[in-house]
């Protein structure tokens, strides 16, 4: 029990958790104790998370000058240098206070004509690891020299950005339809795309396709482009390879004008180990932002781990969360690598018992941090969205913080793409188990809102395959024109549409798609690297394929638009679990309902059955409104889309009469019927 002798709601609603009630109470107590400490010193969590307003460059109106501050408790000496002092490393010494914060003041009278918007600078830090030139952790702009490839911090003081009254409310969108995107690889040309290009060219595509949220990857600065943005070096600096911070703000403002929420892929699970560009050993010690030695290293990702139990690290990360919401108007976050964060073993075990979620393998400091982060997000922006990338199924992840949970709004349904990949790789079509399919798609707790997806960027990376490429492989190079005939392409097109419709209609309360996959983008993603001759050929999106009327990609893109329209119009995602009506193993056919919609999936590769009888949710007239087999989507349209199916009653064994209909149940087809009274 908690101190008030009241059982936590998370335990009250789930008997499975009652044997570990004490562990949950202890976990909640750690969070509330930390929150109380914060509120005692800073009045609120929102006021506490203001590191970006104190560290880095801050204007002092009273003293008429700029302060530069950085937390470097282990440093012996720190200097700041840049183009404003002709790069003299040891001319401008910073001063240390009792908390290990080093600061320097730049009077406007002396530096007004030298410390200019765009000035370049670094810190010269003397620590246990020697004298090194470093980039401050709170740098808000970092640029790379084209010739030397060296990264340098930039003094960034533009005119205040005009948000034009932007007050976007993501909660008004209803069910989230998320378009996962990477700004750099979003253009068709070979090279790095920009925020401005994304704003002008890609946002209209996303809006037209019917999605209502954009999830942006690789926003925080990262030295290696091929890391997909996951080896972050500067947590407060938007990557400069795509443009300026103001251009990113304009992207977000314009997205809001179009009715699109913008969610950031936030990487707080680890950071790049580089000394030249990142925060590793910034004060000369190995335990500034990490725990010392091996405890601070993520061997699977060759990166550094945060010490979530250290107050200054919590302050840094929480300030970073608020910074992106406050200064850039992001509408929430997908927290990357949550499984790695919350376990000392980083999830590389079998979660074969309840104890795995509460034993010594759990990083309780990370659990406390994530709970604080969710509380902060929702206190500062009640309409903001948080999504957890956790594959372990940690209990309470999507339960509100006040009820004893971690407080995420959604979890990623990561088992779904894994299931589709395994099915396509290992199981012949005629052996697909529809009961297993149903179990995977619907296997979630009622209180845990799930983002369903058939594939994301993970499946598109080199070494893996997208669903389209896995289905059609080399045939995509030669048989995607409408004039060609190919059984492989026909099968691939049919299953590509069915898999997506199945995922969105059964897998969760939100849906995600990675850019280009909606129209079956061919091949894989491969960022420039030595092994491919530093080529951008596979680090782009070939949008022209989706509009070329001579190619079949148009069919897949058109189906995706129609599917999204249907889901939005009939509020399928908001309806919750689908209602199972029939599971016909012999004919590999399943039927289920959402409200007035009847979904029929025939996964059989050959069996098309006339006058196929199936139960329905209520009496009435059923008319097809969407089919994967329609000619407009590249199908054969074996079932008439203007047909009407009237229900009739059949007496069951219990003596009651139940409505049924008869349809032409065509193979490898999913059809959605609307019940009209």
């Amino acid at each position: 029990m908690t101190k008030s002798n009241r059982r936590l709601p998370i335990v009250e609603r789930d008997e499975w958790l009652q044997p570990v009630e004490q562990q949950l109470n202890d976990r909640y107590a750690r969070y509330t104790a930390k929150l109380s400490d914060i509120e005692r010193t800073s009045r609120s969590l929102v006021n506490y998370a203001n590191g970006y307003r104190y560290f880095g460059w801050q204007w002092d109106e009273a003293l008429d000058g700029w302060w530069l501050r950085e937390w470097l408790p282990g440093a012996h000496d720190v200097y700041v240098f840049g183009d404003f002092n002709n790069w003299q490393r040891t001319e401008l010494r910073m001063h240390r206070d009792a908390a290990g914060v080093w600061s320097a003041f730049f009077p406007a009278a002396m530096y007004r004509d030298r410390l200019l918007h765009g000035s370049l600078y670094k810190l010269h830090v003397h620590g246990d690891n020697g004298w090194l030139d470093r980039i401050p952790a709170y740098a808000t702009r970092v640029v790379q020299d084209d010739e030397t490839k060296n990264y340098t911090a930039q003094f960034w003081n533009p005119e205040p950005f005009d948000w034009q009254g932007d007050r976007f409310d993501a909660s008004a969108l209803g069910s989230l339809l998320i378009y996962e995107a990477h700004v750099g690889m979003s253009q068709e040309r070979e090279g790095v795309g920009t925020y401005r290009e994304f704003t002008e060219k890609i946002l209209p595509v996303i809006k037209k396709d019917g999605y209502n949220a954009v999830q942006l990857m690789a926003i925080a600065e990262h030295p290696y482009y091929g890391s997909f943005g996951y080896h972050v070096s500067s947590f407060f600096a938007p990557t400069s390879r795509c443009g300026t911070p103001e251009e990113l703000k304009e992207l977000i403002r314009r997205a809001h004008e179009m009715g699109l929420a913008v969610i950031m892929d936030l990487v707080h699970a680890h950071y790049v180990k580089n000394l030249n560009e990142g925060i590793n050993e910034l004060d000369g010690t190995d335990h500034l932002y990490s725990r010392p030695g091996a405890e601070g290293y993520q061997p699977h990702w060759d990166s550094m781990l945060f010490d979530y139990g250290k107050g200054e690290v919590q302050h840094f990360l929480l300030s970073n969360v608020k910074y992106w919401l406050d200064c850039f108007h992001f509408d929430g976050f997908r927290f990357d690598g949550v499984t790695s964060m919350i376990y000392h073993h980083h999830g590389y075990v079998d979660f074969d018992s309840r104890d795995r979620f509460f034993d010594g393998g759990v990083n309780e400091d990370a659990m406390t941090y994530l709970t604080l982060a969710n509380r902060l997000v929702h206190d500062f922006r009640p309409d903001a969205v948080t999504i957890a990338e956790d594959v372990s199924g940690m209990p309470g992840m999507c339960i509100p913080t006040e009820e004893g949970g971690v407080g995420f709004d959604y979890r990623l349904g990561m088992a779904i793409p894994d299931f589709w990949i395994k099915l396509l790789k290992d199981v012949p079509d005629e052996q697909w188990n529809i009961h297993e399919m149903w179990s995977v798609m619907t296997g979630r707790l009622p209180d845990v809102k799930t983002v369903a997806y058939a594939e994301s960027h993970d499946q598109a990376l080199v070494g893996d395959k997208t669903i389209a490429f896995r289905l059609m492989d080399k045939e995509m190079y030669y048989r995607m024109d409408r004039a060609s005939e190919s059984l492989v392409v026909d099968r691939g097109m049919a299953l590509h549409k069915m898999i997506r419709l199945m995922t969105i209609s059964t897998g969760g309360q939100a849906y995600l798609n990675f850019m280009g996959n909606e129209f079956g983008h061919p091949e894989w993603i491969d960022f420039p690297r030595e092994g491919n001759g530093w080529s951008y050929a596979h680090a782009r999106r070939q949008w022209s394929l989706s509009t070329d009327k001579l190619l079949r990609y148009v069919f897949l893109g058109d189906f995706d638009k129609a599917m999204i329209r249907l889901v939005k119009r009939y509020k399928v995602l908001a309806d919750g679990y689908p209602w199972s009506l029939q599971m016909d193993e012999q004919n590999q056919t399943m039927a289920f309902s959402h409200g007035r919609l009847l979904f029929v999936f025939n996964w059989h590769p050959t069996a098309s059955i006339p006058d196929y009888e199936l139960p329905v949710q209520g009496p009435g007239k059923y008319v097809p409104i969407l089919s994967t087999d329609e000619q407009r989507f590249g199908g054969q349209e074996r079932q008439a889309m203007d047909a009407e199916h009237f229900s009739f009653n059949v007496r069951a064994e219990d003596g009651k009469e139940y409505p049924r209909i008869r349809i032409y149940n065509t193979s490898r087809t999913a059809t959605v019927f609307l019940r009209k009274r």
Side-chain angles (χ1 to χ4, degrees):
M1 297 291 181
T2 59
K3 288 183 179 179
S4 64
N5 292 322
R6 180 180 65 85
R7 173 169 274 176
L8 287 171
I10 187 177
V11 179
E12 286 182 343
R13 66 159 60 99
D14 192 346
E15 292 183 359
W16 188 77
L17 292 175
Q18 290 178 9
V20 290
E21 181 174 6
Q22 186 56 54
Q23 291 94 319
L24 283 165
N25 288 340
D26 292 344
R27 186 171 290 173
Y28 184 69
R30 280 187 288 270
Y31 155 67
T32 54
K34 181 62 181 178
L35 182 62
S36 296
D37 288 344
I38 289 171
E39 292 175 338
R40 185 168 52 252
T41 58
S42 303
R43 300 193 311 280
S44 73
L45 187 56
V46 170
N47 287 334
Y48 171 76
N50 278 337
Y52 62 96
R53 295 181 177 176
Y54 180 77
F55 292 102
W57 292 99
Q58 304 295 335
W59 174 256
D60 191 320
E61 191 71 37
L63 297 178
D64 192 34
W66 290 93
W67 285 100
L68 176 63
R69 301 186 185 96
E70 189 76 14
W71 177 61
L72 301 165
H76 308 310
D77 236 341
V78 182
Y79 294 83
V80 57
F81 67 108
D83 54 16
F84 50 81
N85 78 332
N86 294 318
W87 298 100
Q88 297 301 308
R89 281 185 172 83
T90 57
E91 180 181 80
L92 300 172
R93 187 177 188 273
M94 301 178 76
H95 301 280
R96 186 189 194 278
D97 67 12
V101 176
W102 293 76
S103 62
F105 183 68
F106 294 78
M110 293 177 59
Y111 287 93
R112 183 174 286 112
D113 297 327
R114 289 192 282 166
L115 184 59
L116 305 173
H117 171 59
S119 290
L120 300 174
Y121 72 98
K122 281 192 173 185
L123 300 181
H124 191 50
V125 182
H126 180 204
D128 292 345
N129 57 359
W131 286 92
L132 295 174
D133 297 340
R134 304 301 301 268
I135 293 173
Y138 279 88
T140 57
R141 169 84 169 161
V142 178
V143 294
Q144 185 180 32
D145 185 277
D146 290 335
E147 294 183 3
T148 67
K149 305 304 178 184
N150 184 40
Y151 279 87
T152 308
Q154 194 168 30
F155 177 74
W156 200 249
N157 184 38
E159 291 295 320
F161 182 77
D162 182 6
W163 283 101
Q164 300 182 22
D166 177 60
R167 293 290 185 273
F168 190 76
D169 183 357
S171 64
L173 295 173
S175 301
L176 287 178
L177 297 159
I178 304 169
Y179 199 87
E180 186 184 35
H182 183 286
V183 173
M185 58 163 290
S186 64
Q187 301 305 311
E188 183 143 4
R189 63 177 175 82
E190 294 190 26
V192 179
T194 67
Y195 301 127
R196 184 170 293 174
E197 287 175 311
F198 193 92
T199 302
E200 298 299 330
K201 298 179 181 180
I202 310 305
L203 286 181
V205 171
I206 298 170
K207 177 66 175 177
K208 183 179 179 182
D209 285 354
Y211 293 84
N212 59 18
V214 187
Q215 182 176 296
L216 292 181
M217 306 175 60
I219 291 297
E221 191 60 86
H222 47 288
Y224 179 44
Y225 189 46
S227 74
F228 230 138
Y230 290 122
H231 279 197
V232 174
S233 53
S234 295
F235 284 80
F236 291 83
T239 180
S240 60
R241 58 171 56 88
C242 295
T244 68
E246 286 63 47
E247 288 167 342
L248 174 58
K249 292 176 182 179
E250 178 63 13
L251 184 162
I252 295 169
R253 189 191 69 78
R254 292 275 293 279
H256 288 168
E257 281 186 350
M258 296 181 185
L260 299 171
V262 186
I263 298 167
M264 179 178 173
D265 199 354
L266 188 71
V267 185
H268 281 186
H270 60 140
Y271 60 93
V272 73
K273 69 178 184 179
N274 303 26
L275 299 188
N276 289 337
E277 299 91 1
I279 61 175
N280 187 24
E281 298 185 19
L282 192 55
D283 70 343
T285 72
D286 67 347
H287 53 272
L288 179 63
Y289 288 97
S290 299
R291 293 185 64 81
E295 287 185 279
Y297 179 64
Q298 223 293 16
H300 306 285
W301 297 342
D302 192 26
S303 56
M304 307 306 297
L305 299 166
F306 284 105
D307 181 358
Y308 301 105
K310 183 182 286 189
E312 294 87 350
V313 176
Q314 285 184 352
H315 183 248
F316 174 82
L317 293 173
L318 291 170
S319 296
N320 189 241
V321 167
K322 185 183 170 188
Y323 169 76
W324 293 110
L325 295 173
D326 184 18
C327 298
F328 287 84
H329 291 204
F330 276 100
D331 300 295
F333 304 102
R334 169 202 181 261
F335 279 73
D336 173 70
V338 167
T339 305
S340 175
M341 294 175 72
I342 62 178
Y343 300 103
H344 296 298
H345 49 65
H346 310 301
Y348 289 87
V349 298
D350 291 327
F351 290 93
D352 49 8
S353 73
R354 177 173 42 219
D355 293 338
R356 286 290 194 190
F357 303 113
F358 301 97
D359 62 18
V362 177
N363 186 337
E364 293 293 349
D365 290 334
M367 293 292 292
T368 299
Y369 163 68
L370 286 171
T371 310
L372 289 168
N374 276 289
R375 173 68 181 267
L376 170 64
V377 169
H378 295 116
D379 281 358
F380 185 66
R381 284 276 302 278
D383 62 296
V385 175
T386 57
I387 304 168
E389 188 200 30
D390 173 36
V391 71
S392 73
M394 169 64 76
M397 193 62 69
C398 294
I399 300 298
T401 55
E402 62 271 18
E403 296 182 14
V406 183
F408 282 99
D409 296 302
Y410 295 88
R411 61 176 280 275
L412 282 177
M414 300 175 72
I416 297 174
D418 290 346
F419 169 77
W420 289 125
I421 290 170
K422 185 176 186 300
L423 199 66
L424 293 172
K425 280 177 59 178
D426 301 335
V427 185
D429 295 8
E430 61 273 12
Q431 295 179 21
W432 284 15
N433 187 323
I434 59 173
H435 291 283
E436 181 187 17
M437 187 185 299
W438 181 262
S439 176
V440 172
M441 293 299 124
T442 61
R444 58 187 184 275
L445 295 173
D447 294 330
V448 179
K449 290 197 292 186
T450 300
V451 178
Y453 63 106
E455 56 185 338
S456 68
H457 69 274
D458 287 326
Q459 288 72 41
L461 288 170
V462 63
D464 206 339
K465 290 183 178 181
T466 64
I467 287 176
F469 208 49
R470 195 173 292 282
L471 285 167
M472 296 175 276
D473 207 66
K474 64 180 184 296
E475 292 286 294
M476 298 190 79
Y477 294 116
Y478 312 111
R479 298 288 186 267
M480 286 300 283
D481 61 286
R482 297 194 187 191
S484 293
E485 294 184 3
S486 168
L487 293 177
V488 171
V489 171
D490 289 344
R491 168 185 177 268
M493 295 272 292
L495 291 177
H496 191 274
K497 290 175 284 187
M498 292 181 71
I499 286 169
R500 275 169 159 64
L501 184 59
M502 182 70 187
T503 301
I504 200 171
S505 59
T506 62
Q509 293 85 356
Y511 178 72
L512 178 143
N513 167 71
F514 180 67
M515 64 177 184
N517 287 353
E518 69 276 10
F519 65 83
H521 197 288
E523 301 183 317
W524 55 88
I525 297 169
D526 191 9
F527 285 95
R529 55 188 173 86
E530 188 175 4
N532 66 13
W534 302 104
S535 170
Y536 287 88
H538 293 287
R540 61 194 181 106
R541 296 283 87 177
Q542 299 181 57
W543 299 105
S544 59
L545 296 175
S546 69
T547 57
D548 189 333
K549 299 296 185 181
L550 298 178
L551 300 177
R552 302 194 198 193
Y553 298 101
V554 176
F555 294 139
L556 297 178
D558 286 347
F559 176 79
D560 195 78
K561 293 184 186 74
M563 178 184 76
I564 295 295
R565 280 197 302 270
L566 179 140
V567 166
K568 290 168 73 172
R569 179 176 180 180
Y570 295 99
K571 297 180 172 54
V572 171
L573 290 166
D575 188 53
Y577 289 102
W579 185 268
S580 179
L581 295 166
Q582 180 151 299
M583 300 290 282
D584 178 356
E585 293 182 56
Q586 180 179 347
N587 296 301
Q588 289 180 279
T589 294
M590 56 173 62
F592 56 88
S593 65
H594 276 292
R596 294 165 57 207
L597 297 183
L598 168 68
F599 293 76
V600 181
F601 283 77
N602 180 344
W603 297 96
H604 200 287
T606 58
S608 295
I609 310 158
D611 294 325
Y612 182 82
E613 190 174 304
L614 71 155
V616 291
Q617 67 270 45
K621 179 176 70 174
Y622 287 78
V623 295
I625 57 173
L626 181 71
S627 171
T628 58
D629 194 40
E630 291 182 63
Q631 288 184 356
R632 60 178 175 146
F633 306 135
Q636 302 174 52
E637 202 158 317
R638 291 164 289 174
Q639 179 180 152
M641 293 304 292
D642 58 356
E644 296 177 338
H645 306 273
F646 292 90
S647 65
F648 56 92
N649 289 333
V650 174
R651 190 176 299 278
E653 293 180 359
D654 62 4
K656 296 180 181 180
E657 292 189 341
Y658 295 94
R660 302 176 75 86
I661 63 171
R662 293 189 182 96
I663 64 170
Y664 182 25
N665 184 21
T666 56
S667 62
R668 279 205 189 111
T669 304
T671 306
V672 184
F673 299 85
L674 174 65
R675 176 165 65 99
K676 294 186 176 182
R677 294 179 179 85

